[in-house]
Amino acid sequence: MSRPHAAAIVEDTVHEQIERVLRSRGWGNRVITHVGYGSPSFVRVFARILLGRKGRENTEGPESRQDATGALSPAHYDRGWRAFLTSPATGVPVKVTAGDREIYGRSDRGGHVDIVARDHGLAPGWQQVVVEAQGTAPVAADVFIVADDVRFGLVSDIDDTVITTMLPRPMIAAFNTFVRRGKARHAVPGMAPMYRRLLAAHPGAPIVYVSTGAWNTAATLNRFLLENGFPLGPLMLTDWGPTNTGWFRSGQDHKRTCLHRLARDFPDIRWLLVGDDGQHDPQLYAEFAEARPDRVDAVCIRHLSPTEQVLSNPMKIDAPARSMGPRSVSTFSAPDGYALLRALNEQGRVGDPVAEHEQPSRPLRQPTR
């Protein structure tokens, strides 16, 4: 095994010193669970172990909800930077109870837990598993079990595809992530109705959100998606900062890895891939479709306006391409979810005709005060 990058060594040393000081002051382990996924043969469980103050609640499970797309209780939104004031607990023993199985592991250098349990006995649909770290109470985690007969799935980017953040322009990205409250972000018009319609046409189908955003923002993103009518699904995020190979993680490599992992985990599912043309989604999806054409049902690209293109990528001076999808699969391009849904419906990919109230010609304007 090669020697870790110097940046990773420095970061690990800093985390080790911080953890030693906090534990000496009585801080203990805290479990934060994320939405996982699986099939009748396996389940993939995500969680993170952080350090928490003594005397405060040290566990955080799933939000209270009625069902996969049910309403949440009123939210309290903090400034984005508060989510990044965390200290990971590394190497902590973890036990995951998934149905009939108990699996043991440890948190990694970032405090993350990614454990696969097989032969769990959980039925298809929404289920819960239990995550327990050393010194903590058991914490529930939501998982979506996909039935063996499901043949359709949906993969969606987040930034500029379902949320208007204008990433990755550095100043705007930093402002949206660290300064603005979660409530200040806006959903891309029509994307939530489109996703709901697609999943209604394919009962039991999974939706997976793949993004280069940080795991620290998972709770805020989940609440944003649910409160704006998006279906609940696993978030495949990343951990900002140094890695064992360099100073920063590659967002493109992260998305490639996620797509190929999903293709391996669900070999019978064909995926509808949804992204935007602000950065690399068309190229990444085309690359994946060429490598695994039998795993791609279609590609939907939300094309950004010229203003959004400039804000998203100020170095890009050429006119945005409107047809950048792979040749081997059907590709649809439109400025919002309403138009994409109409295009999919015209090709018979949605099912029943779209209800009139879900396909306005343009987003409704809010009344001015």
Side-chain angles (χ1 to χ4, degrees):
M1 184 176 179
S2 60
R3 178 180 174 82
H5 192 272
I9 295 176
V10 171
E11 183 184 51
D12 290 346
T13 301
V14 172
H15 284 168
E16 181 180 347
Q17 296 300 322
I18 293 175
E19 183 173 353
R20 181 181 294 112
V21 171
L22 293 179
R23 288 194 184 279
S24 68
R25 296 185 177 183
W27 286 42
N29 297 327
R30 176 189 179 197
V31 179
I32 298 178
T33 59
H34 304 299
V35 178
Y37 67 83
S39 72
S41 61
F42 81 94
V43 61
R44 190 178 181 189
V45 181
F46 300 103
R48 195 178 187 196
I49 314 301
L50 302 175
L51 292 177
R53 294 179 183 272
K54 183 178 180 180
R56 296 184 62 181
E57 185 66 29
N58 69 339
T59 59
E60 184 174 328
E63 300 274 10
S64 175
R65 55 182 170 81
Q66 295 177 349
D67 52 40
T69 58
L72 295 173
S73 58
H76 171 70
Y77 285 90
D78 292 322
R79 296 289 182 184
W81 58 267
R82 293 182 182 273
F84 289 83
L85 292 182
T86 59
S87 180
T90 62
V92 175
V94 175
K95 180 179 76 172
V96 173
T97 303
D100 301 329
R101 297 280 292 176
E102 288 186 355
I103 305 297
Y104 296 86
R106 289 181 179 270
S107 59
D108 67 11
R109 57 185 297 268
H112 298 283
V113 177
D114 183 352
I115 292 180
V116 174
R118 302 192 181 277
D119 302 322
H120 47 73
L122 297 173
W126 283 102
Q127 304 291 342
Q128 285 194 332
V129 301
V130 176
V131 180
E132 184 177 358
Q134 187 178 55
T136 71
V139 186
D142 282 328
V143 293
F144 186 73
I145 305 299
V146 183
D148 286 335
D149 60 352
V150 172
R151 297 293 181 265
F152 176 86
L154 200 161
V155 171
S156 173
D157 179 43
I158 295 181
D159 298 316
D160 291 326
T161 299
V162 301
I163 300 177
T164 55
T165 55
M166 308 300 186
L167 291 173
R169 186 175 177 180
M171 294 304 295
I172 295 179
F175 181 71
N176 282 330
T177 300
F178 297 106
V179 181
R180 301 182 77 176
R181 297 181 185 271
K183 197 69 172 179
R185 299 180 180 183
H186 301 283
V188 174
M191 299 306 289
M194 170 183 162
Y195 290 176
R196 294 197 306 270
R197 188 76 188 199
L198 287 168
L199 295 186
H202 300 87
I207 180 171
V208 181
Y209 298 93
V210 179
S211 172
T212 57
W215 276 111
N216 302 66
T217 64
T220 299
L221 285 175
N222 270 324
R223 183 172 287 278
F224 177 92
L225 293 171
L226 287 171
E227 291 189 344
N228 284 276
F230 288 90
L232 182 65
L235 297 176
M236 307 296 290
L237 305 177
T238 187
D239 196 15
W240 289 359
T243 70
N244 287 328
T245 58
W247 286 96
F248 300 102
R249 299 178 188 275
S250 169
Q252 296 182 56
D253 288 345
H254 167 69
K255 287 190 173 182
R256 288 191 187 96
T257 299
C258 290
L259 289 173
H260 286 286
R261 175 67 181 267
L262 289 171
R264 293 195 304 271
D265 287 343
F266 301 102
D268 296 324
I269 287 182
R270 291 171 60 85
W271 298 92
L272 175 67
L273 309 178
V274 186
D276 64 86
D277 64 359
Q279 283 293 304
H280 306 289
D281 288 345
Q283 294 87 344
L284 287 173
Y285 290 165
E287 174 188 298
F288 179 73
E290 291 173 3
R292 298 175 179 264
D294 58 332
R295 296 290 181 268
V296 181
D297 180 75
V299 173
C300 287
I301 299 296
R302 183 211 168 211
H303 62 75
L304 278 59
S305 68
T307 300
E308 289 176 316
Q309 287 282 350
V310 172
L311 292 174
S312 176
N313 190 351
M315 301 302 295
K316 186 175 181 179
I317 58 177
D318 297 330
R322 297 306 186 195
S323 180
M324 303 175 63
R327 298 179 180 180
S328 57
V329 300
S330 299
T331 302
F332 304 88
S333 180
D336 57 36
Y338 296 117
L340 285 172
L341 184 58
R342 286 196 295 271
L344 289 170
N345 188 62
E346 290 172 358
Q347 296 294 319
R349 294 177 176 271
V350 179
D352 296 333
V354 182
E356 182 178 355
H357 70 275
E358 287 196 345
Q359 55 169 359
S361 58
R362 62 176 60 88
L364 298 177
R365 292 181 178 273
Q366 296 294 328
T368 57
R369 295 182 178 180

